[in-house]
């Protein structure tokens, strides 16, 4: 992107009286809102130039590069503006949590859950992040660390056990028991993915690929499953 193109983008926006524009940051892979911050013309220029998010701190009155200290940078995928050109939506690939508390998103305190339900895939993403963090803490009191340290045979055995318990719960017809045993199974699957170096995003991408694939075609060596 040329300097002229960057200038054109910067100048077409509407800034508030402090010269700032609210910026919503969204994770490109999960659509989860990570944070809301402010940009001014200079931080937007740096964002467009560097390909990583820069913001303006109202409290410190200075520019700051997201992840400049922590390493939790945000690689910019796209930038959009609303109909009034006075708010930005920046979609990113986040290299770590967005919140200073260590949470993936700053919006982790749910005041009004949707129909009493949790956030679905976002809960799994948070679980995967915590499991990854535990791997590097070497906590001898952690069951997760024990599974990762013991290895695939133990993890595989637990997945087999939890799968059987889901089936038993289903045959018993107890919905709450099915929910609890399914949660146990998903947890142990998440540990398996971490052990094998598989990301939740890769699993979700495969599910998405299958749900959008038309027809039932054979690929080399196996049947390509679709929904």
């Amino acid at each position: 992107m040329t300097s002229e193109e960057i200038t054109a983008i910067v100048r077409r926006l509407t800034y508030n009286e402090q010269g700032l524009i609210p910026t919503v940051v969204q994770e490109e892979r999960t659509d989860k809102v990570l944070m809301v911050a402010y940009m001014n013309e200079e931080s937007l220029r740096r964002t467009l130039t560097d390909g990583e998010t820069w913001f303006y701190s109202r409290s410190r009155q200075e520019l700051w590069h997201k992840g400049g200290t922590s390493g939790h940078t945000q690689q910019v995928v796209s930038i959009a503006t609303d109909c009034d050109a006075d708010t930005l939506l920046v979609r990113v690939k986040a290299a770590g949590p967005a919140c200073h508390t260590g949470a993936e998103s700053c919006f982790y305190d749910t005041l009004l859950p949707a129909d009493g339900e949790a956030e679905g895939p976002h809960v799994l993403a948070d679980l995967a992040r915590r499991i990854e963090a535990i791997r590097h803490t070497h906590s001898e009191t952690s069951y997760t660390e024990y599974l990762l340290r013991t290895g695939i045979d133990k993890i595989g055995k637990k997945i087999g056990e939890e799968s059987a318990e889901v089936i038993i719960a289903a045959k018993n017809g107890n919905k709450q028991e099915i929910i609890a045993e399914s949660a146990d199974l998903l947890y142990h699957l998440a540990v398996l993915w971490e052990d094998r170096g598989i990301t939740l995003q890769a699993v979700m991408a495969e599910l998405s690929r299958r749900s959008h694939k038309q027809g039932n075609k054979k690929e080399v060596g196996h049947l390509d499953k679709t929904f």
Side-chain angles (χ1 to χ4, degrees), residues 14 18 151:
T14 302
Q18 287 81 40

Side-chain angles (χ1 to χ4, degrees), residues 135 144-158 191-192 195-196:
R135 172 189 283 278
T144 300
E145 196 278 336
Y146 161 74
L147 288 175
L148 292 170
R149 174 165 39 86
T150 304
I152 189 61
D153 288 342
K154 180 64 175 179
I155 298 171
K157 180 181 178 182
K158 289 301 299 181
V191 175
L192 173 69
D195 181 76
R196 298 290 94 178

Side-chain angles (χ1 to χ4, degrees), residues 127-155:
L127 174 62
R129 180 181 57 79
R130 290 197 300 271
I131 290 173
E132 180 185 16
I134 288 172
R135 172 189 283 278
H136 301 294
T137 59
H138 307 294
S139 171
E140 295 183 0
T141 61
S142 167
Y143 174 65
T144 300
E145 196 278 336
Y146 161 74
L147 288 175
L148 292 170
R149 174 165 39 86
T150 304
I152 189 61
D153 288 342
K154 180 64 175 179
I155 298 171

Side-chain angles (χ1 to χ4, degrees), residues 120-121 123-128 130-131 143-144 147 155 158-163 165-166 178-194 200 203-204 207:
V123 174
L124 281 176
D126 288 341
L127 174 62
R130 290 197 300 271
I131 290 173
Y143 174 65
T144 300
L147 288 175
I155 298 171
K158 289 301 299 181
I159 289 176
E161 293 173 356
E162 299 300 343
S163 299
E165 290 177 6
V166 170
I178 295 171
I179 292 170
E181 297 300 347
S182 296
D184 287 344
L185 177 58
L186 285 171
Y187 159 76
H188 285 91
L189 277 172
V191 175
L192 173 69
W193 298 335
E194 173 64 27
L200 172 65
V203 177
M204 295 297 104
L207 287 172

